[in-house]
Amino acid sequence: MGDVVSNESLANLLKEERRFDPPADLAANANVTAAAYEQAAEDRLGFWAEQAKRLTWQTPPTQTLDWSNAPFAKWFADGKLNVAYNCVDRHVENGLGDRVAIHFEGESGDSRAITYAELQREVSRAANALIELGVHTGDRVAIYMPMIPETVIAMLACARLGAPHSLVFGGFSAEALATRINDADARVVITADGGYRRGKPSALKPAVDEALTKPGTENVRSVLVVRRTGQDLAEAGGTWTEGRDVWWHELVERQSPTHTPEAFDAEHPLFILYTSGTTGKPKGILHTTGGYLTQVSYTHHAVFDLKPETDVFWCTADVGWVTGHSYITYGPLSNGATEVLYEGTPDTPHQGRWWEIVQKYGVTILYTAPTAIRACMKWGDDIPAKYDLSSLRLLGSVGEPINPEAWIWYRKHIGADRTPIVDTWWQTETGAMMLSPLPGVTATKPGSAQVALPGIAATVVDDDAREVPDGAGGYLVLTEPWPSMLRTIWGDDQRYIDTYWSRFEGKYFAGDGAKKDSDGDIWLLGRVDDVMLVSGHNISTTEVESALVSHPKVAEAAVVGATDPQTTQAICAFVILRGGVEEGAGLVDELRAHVAQQLGPIAKPKRIMPVAELPKTRSGKIMRRLLRDVAENRDLGDVSTLTDSSVMDLIQAKLPSTPGED
Ligand code: ATP
Ligand code: MG
């Protein structure tokens, strides 16, 4: 892979001056220094055993890793702990009960601050309520909720009881919810009447009602419903089933605010979470207790350099994605952090909404996704400029490769050209961050996740599983087990083996293409499934997209390879222009020439189509496989994980008007 678009192109995109040393004050006070890499290299398991001590164990583990039944790992197997106790109660016992855990900001501006002491009472009440509903240790609970504090409380209540939760993103349909309830065989569903989205109440309960009419969901005996919007259920198309449905405010609020947590085995299941479905049918990823919490707690502390006394952390992801699980619920709360939880969309009621929130709460650390950064680029620099963002000291990115140009924009317009950016590569399957700069140690390079974190072993290999030399491309693999790794695909051990452990003997296959630069730093190049083959050369979608985004008129780009009789595949690009830019004659030629100049003539797109929107999953990732269907004039594949399927109609309508040229 990446044999053509290699060193010169990287040199182009990565200009020498585009390296950013850690700020001196941050480096001097960093939570984690370069010594961590040395310690972990000397004794990887000892390093993780040390990090496990960040947690409070009822029975501290004496074993670290059991890999005897590979690829089924056991971490800290003889230890026992309670996750909710670690995220809540112990902070109260340590005298931090009055610290704000969650600053909740509703979309319409209602807000609520929840201290650790209140969180303890709320989680205890919710746990007692679940017990009253007959939830036992090991029972699965589906959570289909908006971004409100009760969602985090529900997760922690499940964790407290050892009842694995399965969050289903609130934007998913009844069908998708039913499939996930069925796959996990959930016994209880926790939901809300609705949440606020784009200025309006958006109903959730009717989708639960519909889901529960579908085969395979018969084992759901209770539905616990939070009243968020107060909308009329029947008017929204929902029903109320007596004996099954119960209001949160009636059941939870009359419970005792105390509950004694029980410690569970480190390998007790904590949650199931389905992958976002960018490439195919979602997989039910199983995470367990001790190893998961160790790595999310450590990475949140190390990568964000969290100072819980003074920082205000904000992760903008939906709690229904793994980023929300690990860096809204479990990482920040296990570290006693103060964080922001925002219900709505970034442009409601106006495009400065996020920056208003940063200003209001004095957010110091912001963690978001490239898709959001590119949307802000598109809306214009003047919007964040209206707000006081001086509290920010660290920025993070996750979810897709971040185009170097978007990275630079993020640093300049959000980070005042001063804050470090951590580009964190990881997956639902990895549970926690795996590759990322450390803000007090690494000189950062825009667009690269760079290095494996201490205690993590990653490399890039070729088709024959041989490590590639610096400057070459191939497949990203993880060569040693890690504490927060998935334990299996729920109910399908064979699919777990086939998907991740069969491509390269003894190595975890991530499914992402990657390249090492001349310093040995790792650059993610997009999904292996998306790599293009043009006249015998492998070309990365990410690099062509980044070249397009580096043109001043382009805010966002998606690139696919479409079958072509002459060249095997031809590069087809879909671009969103920056605010105020007119499509105009000559634009397409200008962009093609720009890519050729940045990456070489072979990477020049055959077709470029300006579009208003790109198809994205509900977690904001570009779904290239649908664009490939369009480019090849095929019927669209599965669109059930798409945010807005009308986007595809607009793109298809546009297609015939732009003939191919070369
Ligand atoms: P599915 O596996 O069902 O296709 P998905 O891979 O989109 O869905 P996630 O687990 O949410 O589901 O996403 C993980 C993927 O996101 C990674 O494999 C990688 O492709 C991409 N990714 C995440 N963070 C980064 C990053 N910092 N740089 C590059 N790519 C990233
Ligand atoms: Mg994936």
Side-chain angles (χ1 to χ4, degrees), residues 23 117 122 139 153 161 166 200 268 413 427 432 445 475 485 501 504 514 517 585 592 599 601 612 617:
E122 294 296 321
D139 285 352
I153 291 166
L161 300 179
S166 164
K200 301 193 290 278
H268 188 79
H413 295 282
Q427 312 175 297
K445 298 177 181 177
Y475 307 93
M485 64 194 284
W501 298 96
F504 302 111
D517 68 15
R592 293 177 75 233
L599 299 179
T617 59

Side-chain angles (χ1 to χ4, degrees), residues 28-216:
N29 300 300
N31 286 352
V32 175
T33 65
Y37 294 109
E38 285 155 39
Q39 282 159 16
E42 232 160 72
D43 177 8
R44 197 174 58 85
L45 295 180
F47 171 84
W48 284 119
E50 195 56 39
Q51 302 321 317
K53 294 186 185 145
R54 302 180 56 75
L55 308 180
T56 305
W57 297 77
Q58 194 203 56
T59 311
T62 63
Q63 304 161 10
T64 302
L65 169 68
D66 176 358
W67 193 230
S68 56
N69 186 30
F72 300 93
K74 288 194 175 126
W75 282 87
F76 311 119
D78 62 346
K80 281 182 190 290
L81 76 169
N82 185 287
V83 168
Y85 173 83
N86 273 276
C87 291
V88 184
D89 306 56
R90 65 168 175 159
H91 304 313
V92 179
E93 288 171 13
N94 290 338
L96 303 176
D98 291 337
R99 180 181 292 171
V100 172
I102 298 174
H103 283 293
F104 170 66
E105 177 79 12
E107 196 186 63
S108 47
D110 55 319
S111 62
R112 180 178 162 201
I114 301 171
T115 63
Y116 275 96
E118 280 174 80
L119 191 61
Q120 184 183 34
R121 291 192 290 271
E122 294 296 321
V123 171
S124 299
R125 281 198 183 95
N128 288 328
L130 292 177
I131 293 171
E132 195 174 315
L133 294 177
V135 173
H136 291 115
T137 300
D139 285 352
R140 272 82 58 203
V141 176
I143 300 182
Y144 182 66
M145 291 276 269
M147 284 283 283
I148 55 176
E150 285 80 0
T151 312
V152 176
I153 291 166
M155 293 167 83
L156 291 167
C158 290
R160 198 172 185 95
L161 300 179
H165 54 68
S166 164
L167 270 88
V168 180
F169 173 59
F172 276 135
S173 64
E175 186 66 49
L177 174 62
T179 316
R180 288 162 177 75
I181 288 174
N182 179 3
D183 191 74
D185 191 16
R187 302 307 161 99
V188 169
V189 179
I190 305 177
T191 188
D193 51 359
Y196 289 96
R197 262 196 108 63
R198 306 206 175 280
K200 301 193 290 278
S202 157
L204 285 169
K205 174 71 167 48
V208 176
D209 296 328
E210 191 189 332
L212 295 184
T213 63
K214 299 190 189 287

